[in-house]
Amino acid sequence: MERPYILHMFTPGRQMSPFDVNMAADAGYQVLAPYTDVTLDAVRGLTQDAIFSRSPKGLARTAIFIGGRDAVLAADMLERAQQAMVPPFTVSLMADPSGSYTTAAAMVAAVEAELVAMGAGGLTGQRVVVLGGTGPVGRIAGVMAAMAGANVALSSRNGIDVAEEAAQQTGQRFGVTLHGISGGDRDAVRRSIADADVILATAAAGVQVVSAEDLTAATRLKVAADVNAVPPEGIAGVGVMDKGTPVPGTQARGLGALAIGNVKYQTQQRLLRSMNESAEPVVLGFAEAFEAARALLRQA
Ligand SMILES: NC(=O)c1ccc[n+]([C@@H]2O[C@H](COP(=O)([O-])OP(=O)(O)OC[C@H]3O[C@@H](n4cnc5c(N)ncnc54)[C@H](OP(=O)(O)O)[C@@H]3O)[C@@H](O)[C@H]2O)c1
């Protein structure tokens, strides 16, 4: 009998995300085993429990997924799981906490492709402001944009100290320079976007972080990208289906939540499938998600 494809799904939270369960089932996993309230220290034991119970042939059909809400903790858990392998007892690993790695990957890769398409030469040297930048999607989008050469500021509605702390903590963990910027009130938001080339809106669902009036301050804006699919739109005038569509009242182009979501969906599916399809076990963190999203867009 052929062994079933098993995905062990670890989360530090109280429940595994139904979104990720559906995605994994659609990627072909036949057994989905969620483990909740998983601490960092528990990852080694759980991983070794999974790897020693199957032969290397069975392990090729076994993988581990790490979820949760914390983008930094998930990266630490991914490293712990990797360190727990005992060759030849190894399995593929993937982290995507709250969808943040694949969402940020789709967003930043789409922005990069748009900048290239408009002749602005990609993200190198661009000034990127991430509104809602302290959440998991915003932090990782900031890291990816910085990795691609942008000058990145994470914004918080709670002011400069909170923004700086998120920027320093996230930047240090992932080896990039991130700045903090205040989004504490309307004036602060307008000042923060006044010299932005790119705005990434990654605030909580259903929150508009940039109004039409705010946008008039963004005089050098090239691309405005929004991942909030719940009305109202995160950036006024950027529709959910927008894909390089002019943003009213500006010279910028817009990328909307469902257009980015489509790239995110395909990226996540591709990564989940690659754990079963690759000849050797793979480790998929946000850098791999970013590369997968870039590759998808190059093929589009
Ligand atoms: N399109 C897709 O495929 C896709 C996939 C996954 C997620 N998403 C969307 O991506 C966005 C970010 O997700 P996430 O999980 O990172 O979000 P989150 O953690 O819920 O929120 C991100 C940040 O938004 C700020 N915020 C919270 N409430 C706010 C309010 N009322 N007004 C202004 N700012 C507020 C907070 O930062 P401060 O308090 O520091 O300002 C928070 O850290 C969400 O809109 C989510 O729905 C889209």
Side-chain angles (χ1 to χ4, degrees):
M1 188 190 85
E2 202 66 283
R3 290 168 181 79
Y5 286 106
I6 302 177
L7 188 63
H8 298 284
M9 306 179 82
F10 301 170
T11 176
R14 282 171 44 218
Q15 65 233 345
M16 178 51 63
S17 149
F19 185 101
D20 291 329
V21 169
N22 291 352
M23 291 289 282
D26 290 351
Y29 290 91
Q30 294 157 307
V31 176
L32 300 172
Y35 305 80
T36 59
D37 297 306
V38 176
T39 61
L40 184 58
D41 286 339
V43 169
R44 178 184 166 88
L46 277 175
T47 301
Q48 293 188 341
D49 215 6
I51 62 176
F52 285 128
S53 47
R54 282 186 136 181
S55 67
K57 194 174 165 207
L59 290 177
R61 289 169 161 253
T62 312
I64 291 173
F65 177 89
I66 293 165
R69 287 275 309 144
D70 186 326
V72 177
L73 175 58
D76 293 343
M77 291 173 82
L78 188 68
E79 266 183 23
R80 287 284 176 99
Q82 196 175 359
Q83 288 159 2
M85 298 299 164
V86 184
F89 295 96
T90 53
V91 297
S92 288
L93 306 169
M94 173 177 170
D96 194 14
S98 201
S100 61
Y101 291 6
T102 48
T103 303
M107 183 182 220
V108 179
V111 167
E112 183 179 56
E114 198 57 43
L115 286 166
V116 169
M118 66 201 296
L123 279 157
T124 307
Q126 307 286 354
R127 182 164 163 69
V128 174
V129 176
V130 190
L131 293 163
T134 61
V137 176
R139 286 175 191 246
I140 297 301
V143 173
M144 288 173 182
M147 283 166 54
N151 179 337
V152 180
L154 304 185
S155 168
S156 171
R157 71 193 153 140
N158 294 310
I160 185 68
D161 291 348
V162 172
E164 270 298 346
E165 191 187 334
Q168 294 315 317
Q169 184 210 20
T170 311
Q172 265 171 26
R173 172 62 180 83
F174 298 117
V176 294
T177 300
L178 298 176
H179 307 281
I181 199 162
S182 176
D185 54 33
R186 292 320 327 147
D187 283 346
V189 168
R190 287 174 197 171
R191 277 197 303 277
S192 74
I193 62 175
D195 61 353
D197 300 297
V198 174
I199 298 174
L200 305 179
T202 63
V207 174
Q208 183 158 98
V209 276
V210 183
S211 67
E213 211 182 329
D214 295 337
L215 270 180
T216 61
T219 51
R220 54 180 274 187
L221 190 63
K222 296 172 184 140
V223 179
D226 180 18
V227 283
N228 162 37
V230 180
E233 62 268 67
I235 303 174
V238 178
V240 288
M241 300 303 292
D242 284 3
K243 210 173 155 186
T245 314
V247 181
T250 75
Q251 304 201 345
R253 298 187 189 177
L255 296 167
L258 296 185
I260 292 169
N262 183 34
V263 179
K264 175 236 162 50
Y265 175 86
Q266 292 181 63
T267 301
Q268 192 172 351
Q269 279 294 309
R270 192 175 269 202
L271 294 175
L272 284 165
R273 286 173 201 266
S274 76
M275 290 200 287
N276 283 334
E277 290 165 0
S278 74
E280 297 295 325
V282 291
V283 179
L284 306 173
F286 65 80
E288 289 74 20
F290 190 31
E291 277 317 308
R294 279 172 148 170
L296 262 168
L297 288 169
R298 276 197 297 271
Q299 288 163 7

